[in-house]
Each structure stands twice: as structure tokens, then as C-alpha cells.
Amino acid sequence: MLGAKSVAIVGASARPDSFGARMIAEARRGSARMHLVNPRYPAIGDLPCAPSIADLDEPVDLVLLGVPDGVLVEQVSMAADAGARSAVVFGAANGVRDEVAAVAGAAGMALCGAGCMGFVNIATGVRALGYLEPEVLPSGGVSLLSHSGSAFSTLLRSRRGFGFRLAVSSGQELVTDTADYVEYALADPGTEVLALVLETPRRAPRLRGALRRAYDAGIPAVVLPIGGSPAGQAMVAAHSGALAGGDAAWQAFCDAVGALRVRDLAELADTVEVFSTGRRSHSRASGIATVHDSGAERALAVDLAHDLGVEFASLSATSLAAIDELIDDGLMATNPLDVWGTGADTRALFRACLRVMTEDPAVAVTALAIDLVPEFDGDTAYPDAILDVAAESPAALAVLTSLPSAVDDDTARRLRAGGVAVLEGFRSGLVALGHLASWPKDVDRDHPPVDPQRRARWLSRLANWSPGWGFALLADYGIAVAGTVTVHDLDDAVGAADVAGYPVVLKTVAAEHKSDVGGVALDLGDAAAVRAAYADLAARLGPAVTVQPMVPGGVEVSVGVVCDATFGPLVVVAAGGTLVELLADRTLACPPVSPVGAMRLLDGLRLRPLLDGWRGSAAVDVPALADVIVGFATLATELGDAIEAVEANPVIASPKGAVAVDVLVIPRA
């Protein structure tokens, strides 16, 4: 499909400005031999027109279907019967999507769409579009894959500092999906950057594998998710399920494959541009540096970077001393740096300061932060300064502008031609700088082997689940649990408490969220207290209760696994207890998760300082808590296809370890 040597245009038209005419105009610009199909015309211009695809004198590689939905199945079938290898379905295929997919799938045809703009393969010269795009598209190393036709067209026309290898508007992906396109792009040695605009990925596990291969090959993938993945109803039954799905699931997916997640087209364009220059950090540094000509705009950049979590590098004493020698009296050597003083010898001053920044071992990327407005006096000192540095050094460089509408186009073109990215907006530009500084990201590479016997054992139990088995499930995955006994009468409750040792806790078995219904009795110090508590619980909620020893206090953390409808099992770590959903302090990961990855999840929580000891409290055993997370991730890897949710809330972390004191298991129906 993407390298087609011959193309048939079904629905070709002689009417100017019609869809059929646009298909012809675009195909003429391409490299494939063109055949026209429409029973209404013997010829269109100087080209013959066949009444049907069956009447062509050769099988074609690609069929462009500019036909109404009502005849779409018929035309796809005719294309398949005529030996066509692939097709583009531009229309929405309303009411016939399953039939179209079945016909194309049975014939082994690749299919772009339905509901798409088509594609352009600049590397092979193939243009398969039903909408007019620029006759000459910028050529480069970016492979763009977009579910959105509007975003596809916007990026093709954006006049940015990058060009395309491949651009696909894939639409509904009835047959061929994003993973297929990514694998094709990775097989092309000319692909340098992947840009993905995605709604719901059709085959997330396969896409995950493809994007991970891109990461391993040193090809950054910039991902703009549109909309959240749907969350199953059963997920909401677990506290952690309400914290997963949608935005959080996308972030976990991108983290797992080392992809760069962006939030709008401006961030996408700036991030793609800064990576497309090919300039990379000279070290494992992860901080940015900026040089400004305005104190106020420097402060604005600091504020925005703080909000975005983008870190400025701490410059060495040597760098600070060198800068101090360069700048005017009254200015401070720091990062970010305000250089504007007397305005004398601007080019040399900015060039020297930029060069010091690029050579500092803590700096991953340096930006000249200026407005880049048209200069009516002809002054070119700013662009000259950074182009001087770009010519002398391979260091990562960019120009960071404040207002896209004020950027001087001629100057921007000159900078981009010199290999310097022009980032159009402080917010989106800082995001792009942060991505460049932090890539490649740390991703988990540990893949613990599946224990087939343990998996089989619990698959059998999950098929006939009893709530009393929850703690045994966790214990089988190496998770420390409070010793728990399930009882159904008063005497057994007292006996279990005597064995456990006082104080004890009684909990109802009848409710998933026990605190919500008054189903927990804490700190019962003797048999009399157990009798009174059991009588109350049994009367209100039924006779089945659990008895466990009272675990000493600590930091409450929720650890769970929920099954997302798109991305599969996700590990959720959150601030625990009864306020888990209200606080919404959580991090997510796609399993498997290594001990190092578990520590990263904990580091991402706002409650992290509590684990290290806060205002005189003792530090908890953080490695033990990380082990709990790894255990849940292993459980997710082995049993993710059989559960909707498994949650321990709370896990009580203390200096002596981390213990799960409550568990909820929801098997998949």
C-alpha cells in the first residue's frame, strides 16, 4: 500500500473541485501508474476511464475508493477479486464497517481508513489523498501517523523546521492500524522521529512492542493522545479503578515504551522540531539552560517551567565564573540568565554566554529565549549569535519564542536552515526542551518469568471465587499480609482473636468498601470487646467476618491492579486509606515493574516525604513497600487476563515493613 507502483481511482471525476477530481490531481503528483474507474466516463482528460476495476488491464497495488457508503462493500469485494493488494476508504463506511473489514481481511488486503484523508509516502513518491495538500511537501525524517484528519493536514501545512518521510491519516483503522504503520516506519532507515496523534489504539500490546523497538533503536516517539481510554464498570468498584483509565493510562503506556507524551498540537510540533534537528545532549545531564534579553520574560519562563516540572540545570562554579566575567555590572550569573545590560556588542556577548551554557556538564539543551520579532533596524545579532554557536558545536540548541504570532518568518527560516529549532511559545517550547533533556527516559527492562503452576492455580480459583481467598492470593505473590481468619459465628471469632493475640480488628466480609458501611471494628483489646463488635457487625451486615491482629500504625498506601479496556492491566500506587479517591495522589505503570521502577512510582507520589519521615516521624521501610508493588505487578502479568481489579488498601508501611491489611479482588466475569 505505502509503496504502491500502480493505483486505481474508483470514483474518478471530470467535475472540477469534486472529490474524484481531487483524487486524480493528487495521484498525478505521485509516482504510481494511475488507472481511472467510473462507468460514466470513457475518458477524463487525456486518460482512459474503465467502467469497473475488473476491466483494468493489470492488477493494481492500491485502490482509492471515493464512493458512497452504500456501494462500498461491493467495490471492496471487486477490488479484492481483481487482485488489488490494498485500498484507501475515504468515506465513513457507516453501517458497513464490519463487512468492509471482513472482505479486506479475508483477501489479505491492507486498508487505510475508513474515514481518513489518505497518505503520502514522500520516500517512495506515492500520494493517495482525496484532499489537496501542498504540491511540494517538506522532506525529512518524521513519520506522522494520525487518527485525526484535521491534525494530519495541519501538520503537513505547518511550515515548521522538520520534514516528513511518511504521513498517514489512518482514520478508523478497520484493518491496518497504527502498529502496522509504526513497524513499516521502523523498517525504513530514513525514519528519525515518530509523531503519533492517537485516539484509542486498536491493538495496544502490539503497538507497545513496536514503540519499544523504536525506543531501543534510538528513535523518539512523540505521542499526542486524544480522548481517554474507556474504563470498565467493574474498575470503579475498586478505589484504584477510579484513579486509572483515560489520561493516567496513556501516561503509563508512554512511560512503559519510553515515548514522549504531549498534550496539544503546539507541544507536538515543538517537540518534533527540537528532536528533528538531530542535536542531542553531550552527557546524561537532564537540565535545561536559557539565555534571555528580558528579566520579566525570564521570570515568566521560570514560573512556567515550575508548573510543567521542567528543571533548569545547576551550573558549575567554573561556568558561573565565566559568565560573570562576560555580563555587565548589576547582572547576576545564574540559570536562567538575563544578559541584557547596556546592549553593547550583543552578538559577541550572547554567543559567549550561550557557548558557556552548552559546555556545562549539567546542561542537556540550551535555548536562546527571545521574542524573535521583526527588527526594523535590520539588527540580526540574536540569530547571528546562536547560529555562530551552532556552527561551532553539535550541542543541543534551540530558540525559545514567547508569542508565535510575532515570530519573524524570514528569521525563523534562516535559523531552521542552520539546524536550530525555533520553538513557538514559552509553554509548548519548555515542554519540548524538557522532553529533549530527559530523553532517553528510564524504562523497565525486567521481565520476570511467568510461573505457569501459580497462574493455573489461581485461574482455577478465580473462576469460582471466594472473598476469603484474597489474602492467600497476595501472599502467593510475595506480598506481606496481616494474618487473617474468616469466621461465621461468635465463638469462632473469639477463638480466632485469642490465637491472633490482642488487640485485633474485625471486618465484615459482606461489603467491598467496609469503612463506608461501618464494617470495621479496630483495636479490640479483649474477648469482651470482640463479642460486642461481632454482635454489632453480624446484626447489621451478616455473620461472616475476618479477624486479624491489629497492625501498628504507619503510612497508608493503596496498591492495586485494574484492567483497562484498552491498555490491559495497570498497576496503581496511591495515597491510601478512606481518602484515596479524594486525594487522587497516584502513579500508574504498565506491568512488569522492576524494583527500580517501583521506586520511581513511589517517588512520583506527593506523599513521598512521609515515607522518609516527616516532622519527627520514623522513616518507613521503603524497599519493602517497593517489593509490594513488584508483587502486584507480577500478579498483573500472570493474571491480568482473568481479573478486573485487585487492590490492597491500605498497605501499612512502617519501619518494620509493609503489610497489606485489607484486600479486594474482582474476577473478570
Side-chain angles (χ1 to χ4, degrees):
M1 180 169 71
L2 299 178
K5 299 287 194 301
S6 56
V7 58
I9 300 177
V10 179
S13 176
R15 287 188 299 109
D17 302 323
S18 66
F19 193 85
R22 292 199 300 267
M23 287 193 293
I24 296 172
E26 279 293 344
R28 281 185 185 275
R29 297 171 175 175
S31 59
R33 295 187 306 279
M34 184 169 57
H35 302 273
L36 306 185
V37 178
N38 192 329
R40 296 173 58 192
Y41 302 103
I44 297 177
D46 58 351
L47 296 175
C49 194
S52 77
I53 194 170
D55 298 310
L56 298 181
D57 57 7
E58 66 168 344
V60 295
D61 295 327
L62 174 63
V63 178
L64 306 186
L65 292 167
V67 298
D69 291 346
V71 298
L72 191 53
V73 175
E74 172 193 352
Q75 291 297 326
V76 173
S77 298
M78 292 177 67
D81 292 342
R85 308 276 305 281
S86 61
V88 177
V89 176
F90 295 104
N94 287 324
V96 294
R97 291 169 190 165
D98 291 344
E99 293 174 83
V100 168
V103 171
M109 295 172 64
L111 192 145
C112 183
C116 70
M117 305 277 281
F119 67 86
V120 180
N121 191 340
I122 294 178
T124 63
V126 180
R127 293 177 74 112
L129 298 167
Y131 304 86
L132 296 181
E133 296 296 345
E135 184 171 357
V136 178
L137 291 166
S139 177
V142 177
S143 285
L144 167 67
L145 314 169
S146 177
H147 287 164
S148 164
S150 178
F152 165 84
S153 188
T154 297
L155 289 165
L156 286 183
R157 307 177 195 188
S158 63
R159 301 188 304 278
R160 294 299 300 259
F162 53 84
F164 298 94
R165 188 77 177 169
L166 172 70
V168 180
S169 163
S170 58
Q172 299 162 13
E173 297 186 350
L174 299 183
V175 176
T176 306
D177 61 26
T178 303
D180 294 313
Y181 297 119
V182 169
E183 290 179 352
Y184 178 93
L186 293 181
D188 178 359
T191 297
E192 298 170 351
V193 180
L194 293 170
L196 279 64
V197 182
L198 303 179
E199 295 176 5
T200 300
R202 271 63 179 179
R203 289 182 291 175
R206 186 160 171 238
L207 180 59
R208 177 177 174 175
L211 291 177
R212 186 56 180 270
R213 287 192 292 278
Y215 174 86
D216 291 339
I219 298 173
V222 185
V223 179
L224 171 57
I226 300 174
S229 61
Q233 290 297 315
M235 285 176 53
V236 181
H239 288 300
S240 52
L243 303 176
D247 183 76
W250 268 112
Q251 188 63 61
F253 178 79
C254 290
D255 289 343
V257 298
L260 302 159
R261 191 272 177 85
V262 296
R263 297 183 179 274
D264 57 35
L265 285 175
E267 290 184 8
L268 178 77
D270 275 352
T271 303
V272 169
E273 178 161 340
V274 80
F275 274 92
S276 293
T277 66
R279 293 178 172 272
R280 297 288 190 273
S281 168
H282 57 74
S283 68
R284 288 293 292 172
S286 59
I288 73 167
T290 55
V291 178
H292 299 253
D293 68 344
S294 164
E297 290 189 355
R298 178 182 67 163
L300 175 60
V302 170
D303 292 344
L304 288 171
H306 174 75
D307 292 344
L308 296 166
V310 177
E311 295 185 2
F312 286 94
S314 297
L315 301 182
S316 68
T318 301
S319 297
L320 293 173
I323 292 171
D324 197 49
E325 289 292 320
L326 294 167
I327 59 179
D328 294 336
D329 292 340
L331 297 177
M332 182 178 295
T334 185
N335 178 32
L337 174 65
D338 178 14
V339 180
W340 189 256
T342 64
D345 202 4
T346 302
R347 178 175 180 174
L349 175 60
F350 275 78
R351 177 178 62 223
C353 290
L354 287 166
R355 191 61 193 262
V356 172
M357 294 288 204
T358 62
E359 293 175 349
D360 189 284
V363 174
V365 55
T366 304
L368 174 59
I370 55 175
D371 295 318
L372 207 64
V373 296
E375 299 291 351
F376 299 117
D377 59 1
D379 183 11
T380 60
Y382 290 147
D384 290 344
I386 196 166
L387 286 170
D388 289 344
V389 178
E392 299 164 356
S393 169
L397 290 167
V399 168
L400 177 64
T401 70
S402 58
L403 188 63
S405 59
V407 170
D408 180 63
D409 290 338
D410 291 338
T411 305
R413 279 193 293 270
R414 181 177 168 228
L415 287 164
R416 286 163 172 156
V420 176
V422 178
L423 309 179
E424 298 187 2
F426 268 10
R427 179 176 291 274
S428 58
L430 284 167
V431 168
L433 294 173
H435 282 318
L436 184 63
S438 65
W439 200 85
K441 297 171 172 288
D442 292 327
V443 298
D444 263 334
R445 296 186 178 277
D446 287 1
H447 293 277
V450 170
D451 182 335
Q453 294 181 336
R454 180 171 59 189
R455 171 175 159 78
R457 180 166 63 249
W458 286 105
L459 284 178
S460 175
R461 292 190 179 185
L462 286 165
N464 299 279
W465 184 249
S466 169
W469 294 339
F471 284 105
L473 171 65
L474 299 190
D476 209 358
Y477 282 88
I479 299 164
V481 299
T484 303
V485 176
T486 301
V487 298
H488 295 83
D489 61 45
L490 176 60
D491 291 340
D492 286 346
V494 173
D498 290 340
V499 172
Y502 296 96
V504 296
V505 179
L506 265 60
K507 300 178 183 179
T508 182
V509 176
E512 292 172 343
H513 303 313
K514 301 170 178 58
S515 297
D516 293 350
V517 295
V520 180
L522 299 172
D523 207 17
L524 306 176
D526 53 33
V530 170
R531 289 190 182 93
Y534 181 86
D536 172 62
L537 292 174
R540 291 187 297 111
L541 300 169
V545 303
T546 60
V547 182
Q548 61 184 209
M550 187 77 183
V551 175
V555 180
E556 293 189 350
V557 179
S558 171
V559 184
V561 174
V562 293
C563 189
D564 182 88
T566 297
F567 296 108
L570 299 170
V571 178
V572 184
V573 183
T578 57
L579 300 180
V580 55
E581 291 170 317
L582 179 64
L583 296 176
D585 178 16
R586 50 85 169 100
T587 53
L588 274 74
C590 295
V593 177
S594 69
V596 172
M599 293 298 284
R600 283 199 298 268
L601 289 174
L602 293 172
D603 290 343
L605 296 174
R606 295 193 299 275
L607 67 70
R608 183 65 175 85
L610 295 179
L611 303 179
D612 294 325
W614 181 256
R615 295 197 171 184
S617 63
V620 311
D621 187 346
V622 177
L625 185 55
D627 288 342
V628 171
I629 298 170
V630 172
F632 267 92
T634 305
L635 184 157
T637 301
E638 290 186 0
L639 300 175
D641 58 345
I643 59 172
E644 294 294 348
V646 177
E647 179 183 76
N649 181 32
V651 174
I652 297 180
S654 71
K656 297 182 179 180
V659 180
V661 300
D662 201 0
V663 59
L664 168 66
V665 179
I666 304 176
R668 180 166 295 178

